[in-house]
Amino acid sequence: MIDLGRLRALHAVASYGTVLAAGQALHCTPSAVSQQISKLERETGATLVEKDGRRLRLTEAGRVLADHAERVLTSMDEAEAALAAHRDTVTGRLTVAAFATACRALMPHALRSLKSRHPQLTTGLIEVNPHEGLELLRRGHVDLAVLDDWPEVGLRYPDCVTKVEIGADHADLIVPDDHRLRGTATLEEARDEHWIAVRAGDVCYEYLIRKLPGVVPDFQVGEFETQLTLIAAGLGVGLIPRLARPPLPREVRVVRISPTPTRHVVVAWRDSAAARPAIRAAEQALREAWAQAASTSSASRTVKAPA
């Protein structure tokens, strides 16, 4: 009988292409992954992987077994979810992939709530962009994904994934205090500004360049806080969602954009795990975290009223 742990190792190598990446996904050493693959080859009597430079390439036999491994692991997810639902007890481990703002504004409250209410549940958190979060979810390397989805960008959800929206987050233009734009403006009115944005590949960046084709931000930084310091220095303007917004420096102010840029905050999970009580508990905790963040956002941030 083929060992399930060895199938997981092969599936991870098939998904990530390197032993190092597979080990990171499985939370074990590259050596342990290699040992599992070697044992699986001896167990099956077939060569399953070949070296291809720094990566591993699956042989024909490896691809056949990896395809079956994905179906087997999906069935295991379904079996574990059904058993957990039968017990109706929130137990086991739940790993969440979330975008950066959610990690800061939503996950602390949600994870604390889960820990308090369900002490038999252990949790983990990985900060990734929504594209990566969906891929980790599809491959079974996380149990839940918290995503920001701009309609203008449109994330592609795999057929095996269920999603629910927990809230809508709006964005404003943040400008230096002496800027020409005041009150309310359109994005087109700001087209020729020096733009300060998140890095290319982030969905907020994708939104900006889809709404203003041809615009290339002069500054690309990883954190909204860093954007604010650059705006405060008079180096440009930035589009910053309200959920992400820390207290504003005195040297900047808000310009409302019409129509209001809006991103949807979404929670997603694999259909095969839908019956797990932990999934339902996490969704509820995230909804409560969103409600708290939405209700306190105005009070907790220093927002200079538009002129």
Side-chain angles (χ1 to χ4, degrees), residues 71-107:
R71 292 195 289 272
V72 168
L73 294 174
T74 297
S75 294
M76 287 297 299
D77 276 348
E78 292 172 347
E80 290 174 356
L83 183 60
H86 178 72
R87 291 195 303 261
D88 200 29
T89 301
V90 180
T91 61
R93 180 172 178 82
L94 185 85
T95 303
V96 181
F99 64 102
T101 301
C103 284
R104 181 171 63 253
L106 302 178
M107 294 311 303

Side-chain angles (χ1 to χ4, degrees), residues 6-304:
R6 294 165 195 167
L7 276 182
R8 288 191 187 278
L10 179 67
H11 181 252
V13 169
S15 298
Y16 292 100
T18 68
V19 170
L20 177 60
Q24 291 172 339
L26 296 174
H27 307 289
C28 65
T29 65
S31 176
V33 174
S34 296
Q35 290 175 19
Q36 292 284 61
I37 297 296
S38 296
K39 290 177 181 178
L40 187 58
E41 289 183 324
R42 291 196 297 271
E43 192 173 52
T44 59
T47 300
L48 302 175
V49 295
E50 297 174 337
K51 286 190 176 181
D52 184 10
R54 293 185 176 182
R55 301 178 67 84
L56 288 179
R57 181 174 59 85
L58 268 64
T59 64
E60 183 62 30
R63 285 192 293 272
V64 169
L65 189 56
D67 287 343
H68 283 281
E70 184 163 358
R71 292 195 289 272
V72 168
L73 294 174
T74 297
S75 294
M76 287 297 299
D77 276 348
E78 292 172 347
E80 290 174 356
L83 183 60
H86 178 72
R87 291 195 303 261
D88 200 29
T89 301
V90 180
T91 61
R93 180 172 178 82
L94 185 85
T95 303
V96 181
F99 64 102
T101 301
C103 284
R104 181 171 63 253
L106 302 178
M107 294 311 303
H109 180 281
L111 293 175
R112 182 176 65 244
S113 175
L114 288 172
K115 181 179 180 180
S116 173
R117 296 174 183 173
H118 309 291
Q120 296 182 63
L121 179 71
T122 59
T123 55
L125 176 64
I126 303 174
E127 180 182 314
V128 291
N129 71 50
H131 298 299
E132 294 170 327
L134 271 177
E135 186 60 14
L136 288 172
L137 182 65
R138 184 188 69 80
R139 291 175 174 174
H141 299 308
V142 299
D143 304 293
L144 202 73
V146 185
L147 315 162
D148 60 328
D149 190 359
W150 297 85
E152 293 80 3
V153 175
L155 293 177
R156 295 183 179 180
Y157 296 90
D159 292 339
C160 63
V161 164
T162 294
K163 65 181 178 73
V164 295
E165 180 180 337
I166 62 171
D169 187 23
H170 306 300
D172 301 301
L173 186 69
I174 309 299
V175 302
D177 195 39
D178 59 355
H179 196 272
R180 63 180 179 85
L181 292 178
R182 296 176 177 274
T184 301
T186 65
L187 274 179
E188 190 61 37
E189 290 180 83
R191 168 182 286 278
D192 296 329
E193 297 293 329
H194 293 288
W195 278 93
I196 299 167
V198 292
R199 294 184 295 246
D202 188 285
V203 291
C204 292
Y205 179 95
E206 292 179 40
Y207 169 83
L208 178 64
I209 62 175
R210 285 174 185 262
K211 293 295 288 184
L212 295 177
V215 164
V216 179
D218 297 278
F219 306 89
Q220 296 180 35
V221 295
E223 298 290 338
F224 289 115
E225 290 91 338
T226 308
Q227 286 189 52
L228 284 174
T229 62
L230 295 172
I231 296 168
L235 297 173
V237 303
L239 191 68
I240 301 183
R242 296 173 192 174
L243 185 66
R245 198 157 71 207
L248 296 181
R250 290 177 298 174
E251 298 86 358
V252 308
R253 60 185 160 76
V254 175
V255 175
R256 306 300 186 197
I257 294 297
S258 179
T260 304
T262 301
R263 62 177 177 173
H264 302 286
V265 180
V266 173
V267 179
W269 57 83
R270 291 185 305 283
D271 294 343
S272 60
R276 282 187 66 191
I279 296 292
R280 298 196 300 272
E283 180 194 353
Q284 179 61 34
L286 282 161
R287 288 187 182 279
E288 292 171 0
W290 172 266
Q292 182 189 61
S295 66
T296 60
S297 58
S298 297
S300 63
R301 295 178 176 89
T302 303
V303 179
K304 188 178 295 185

